[in-house]
Amino acid sequence: MQATRRALYVSTWLNDTALILLMFVLSRYLAETSAGLLNMGIFGGSAAAAWAVTAVITGALSDRIGRKCLLMVAVFLSMASAVGCAVWLENRAALLAAYALSGVAGAMYYAPLIAWLGEGESGIAAGRRRATRTLMFFCFAWNLGIITGQIFGGYTFQIDPRLPLYLAMALPLANLVLIWRMDGRPVVAGSTGGCEWTDDAERRLSAHFARISWVGNLGAPFCVGILFYLLPDLMVFMGVPAEEHGLLLALMRVLMLAAYMLMHVSSFWHHRIGVLLVMRALGVVGMLVIGAASTRGVLFAGMCAVGVMMGFNYFATLYYSTAGSREGRRGRASGMLEGSIALGMAMGTFGGGLAGCFHPRAPYLLAAVVVALLVVVEMTMYRRLVTRESGTGGRVSS
C-alpha cells in the first residue's frame, strides 16, 4: 500500500495544480477584462455549486463501486474543462459551462480520494498518529498543487492568458496514466490487516465534532471563495501584477502547511472547542484587515490570518470525518466534507459578488459577519453535545 499511497499524493498534486491553473486564469482574466464582482462571483459560484452537489453523490457512490474508476473519470473531466476554457475564453456563456465542469471533476476526484486514504493502514484504524500523518501529507500534496498552480499561473498568464490552460490540459494526461497503474483494491493490507478502530467513544465524539466542523465549513470556505474569485479585483485595483498576486497566494499556502505540521505533531486541538473559537476569531480579523487594506503588507497580513484559520478548519474537519466514520462508509463522510466546503465556497462567491455591487470592499465585511454568525450555530451544537453526553456519562473532550 505504501507505493499506492505515495502515488495518490503525486496524483493529488497533479490534480490540484491543474484545477488551480484554471481557477487562477479565469479569475484573473475576468478581473483584467473588468467583468465586475457580480460576474466573477457567478463564475466561481457555479463551479463551487457543482462541486457541492457532486461530492455528496460521488462520495457515497465510491463506497459501492470503488475509488479508482471515479478518480479516472474525474481526471478526464478536468482535462475536458481545461480544453473548453481555452477554446471559449472569450465566450462568457460557454466559458461558464466549461468552468462549472471543473467543479464536477474536483468533487468526483477528492471525495473518493479522501475515503481511499482513510482506509486500513493509512487511516484511523492504525491509530491517531498514522491517520494524521496520512492527512498531513495529503494536505501537503494538494496545497503544493495550489502553490504550483498559482505561481506558474501568475508567470505564464503574463505571457499569454491561454498558456496556463494548455498546461492544465497536459497535467491530467499524466495523472490519468498514474491512476490507471495503481492497485484499485481497498487499502487493507499491512500492519492493520484491515482491522476496524475499536474505540467507539472516540469515534462517536469525533463524529459529533465532524458535524460541528461541517457547519464551520460554510464559513471558512466562504472566505476562500472570496479570496480565490473576488480578491483578483482588489489586486488589480491596488496595482498588484499577476505574478506577485500568485506569489502572495502561494506564501499564504506555505503558512497553512506549517499549520498542518503543527496539528500532526500535537493533540492540543483534539475535540477542543476553545481552539476552534480562537481560529474562527483569527479568520474574522483577517477578513476585516483585507477589507480595509491599502498597502500590500497589510493585505498580506490579513491573508495570513485567514490562511491559518483555513488550514486549521480543513485539517480538523478531515480528521474528525475520518475518525468519526467506519470502514466502508468513509466515502459518504468525505462526500459530506467536500460538499460542505464547496457549498461554503459557492455562498462566498455568490454572496460576495452581490455584496460587491454595493461596495468593492463589502465582500470581506460580509465574510467576517458570516463566520461570526456560524460560530453561534457551532456553539449551540456544542452545548447540546455537552448536555447529551453529560446525561449519558459520556465525554466531550479527550
Side-chain angles (χ1 to χ4, degrees):
M1 166 52 200
Q2 189 173 11
T4 300
R5 186 167 58 243
R6 289 174 177 174
L8 286 173
Y9 296 148
V10 175
S11 175
T12 299
W13 170 67
L14 291 171
N15 188 72
D16 230 59
T17 300
L19 290 178
I20 292 302
L21 283 168
L22 286 177
M23 184 182 296
F24 184 90
V25 169
L26 181 74
S27 60
R28 185 74 192 194
Y29 177 78
L30 292 174
E32 293 197 355
T33 55
S34 303
L37 288 177
L38 179 59
N39 284 323
M40 294 173 71
I42 290 173
F43 269 82
S46 66
W51 193 309
V53 174
T54 307
V56 176
I57 298 172
T58 56
L61 186 61
S62 72
D63 287 334
R64 295 179 176 272
I65 68 174
R67 325 295 189 194
K68 179 177 176 178
C69 62
L70 288 178
L71 261 62
M72 294 185 69
V73 174
V75 171
F76 178 81
L77 292 179
S78 176
M79 181 172 57
S81 176
V83 172
C85 288
V87 172
W88 294 308
L89 187 60
E90 297 172 358
N91 184 329
R92 290 282 171 83
L95 181 63
L96 177 63
Y99 186 65
L101 183 61
S102 71
V104 176
M108 190 175 290
Y109 180 88
Y110 281 108
L113 176 76
I114 293 170
W116 196 350
L117 285 172
E119 293 174 331
E121 66 178 23
S122 290
I124 196 65
R128 280 184 173 182
R129 182 53 60 91
R130 166 62 76 178
T132 57
R133 182 176 181 271
T134 298
L135 298 180
M136 180 186 68
F137 281 116
F138 164 67
C139 289
F140 277 10
W142 70 261
N143 273 277
L144 182 59
I146 290 179
I147 293 171
T148 305
Q150 287 166 342
I151 292 177
F152 276 90
Y155 281 101
T156 55
F157 185 91
Q158 292 290 90
I159 301 172
D160 186 329
R162 283 184 170 84
L163 189 56
L165 296 176
Y166 299 148
L167 181 58
M169 297 177 203
L171 292 175
L173 284 174
N175 205 0
L176 199 61
V177 174
L178 179 63
I179 296 172
W180 179 72
R181 293 174 60 87
M182 290 182 195
D183 183 354
R185 291 176 298 176
V187 185
V188 295
S191 58
T192 66
C195 68
E196 179 63 83
W197 198 34
T198 57
D199 191 338
D200 289 332
E202 185 83 0
R203 181 191 294 113
R204 186 172 63 251
L205 184 58
S206 293
H208 287 310
F209 269 81
R211 287 190 284 272
I212 293 173
S213 297
W214 291 343
V215 173
N217 278 345
L218 300 178
F222 193 102
C223 302
V224 176
I226 290 174
L227 293 185
F228 272 165
Y229 293 105
L230 305 184
L231 185 62
D233 185 78
L234 180 59
M235 292 282 193
V236 171
F237 175 77
M238 294 179 64
V240 179
E243 64 270 18
E244 189 173 337
H245 173 188
L247 184 60
L248 288 176
L249 290 173
L251 289 174
M252 182 183 73
R253 288 285 162 181
V254 172
L255 190 62
M256 292 176 65
L257 295 180
Y260 298 145
M261 291 184 64
L262 176 62
M263 294 177 75
H264 166 59
V265 301
S266 62
S267 60
F268 71 93
W269 55 275
H270 288 175
H271 312 116
R272 300 284 194 248
I273 195 68
V275 178
L276 183 148
L277 294 178
V278 170
M279 293 300 161
R280 296 290 188 268
L282 195 60
V284 170
V285 172
M287 293 305 290
L288 292 176
V289 169
I290 293 173
S294 57
T295 65
R296 298 177 189 182
V298 174
L299 177 65
F300 182 60
M303 292 170 63
C304 287
V306 176
V308 172
M309 178 194 67
M310 289 161 48
F312 171 85
N313 187 82
Y314 186 76
F315 195 90
T317 310
L318 199 59
Y319 172 77
Y320 294 140
S321 296
T322 300
S325 58
R326 295 180 180 275
E327 296 280 347
R329 293 179 58 85
R330 298 244 152 82
R332 178 181 177 276
S334 61
M336 290 297 298
L337 162 64
E338 288 293 309
S340 63
I341 290 174
L343 180 59
M345 288 190 67
M347 291 168 56
T349 50
F350 281 133
L354 288 172
C357 295
F358 299 96
H359 194 281
R361 306 288 182 126
Y364 308 99
L365 174 61
L366 175 64
V369 172
V370 168
V371 173
L373 290 176
L374 287 173
V375 167
V376 177
V377 179
E378 290 177 289
M379 285 303 300
T380 301
M381 294 176 67
Y382 179 74
R383 284 197 295 268
R384 290 177 179 174
L385 169 62
V386 171
T387 301
R388 181 165 58 250
E389 292 298 312
S390 297
T392 60
R395 57 190 173 92
V396 293
S397 64
S398 61

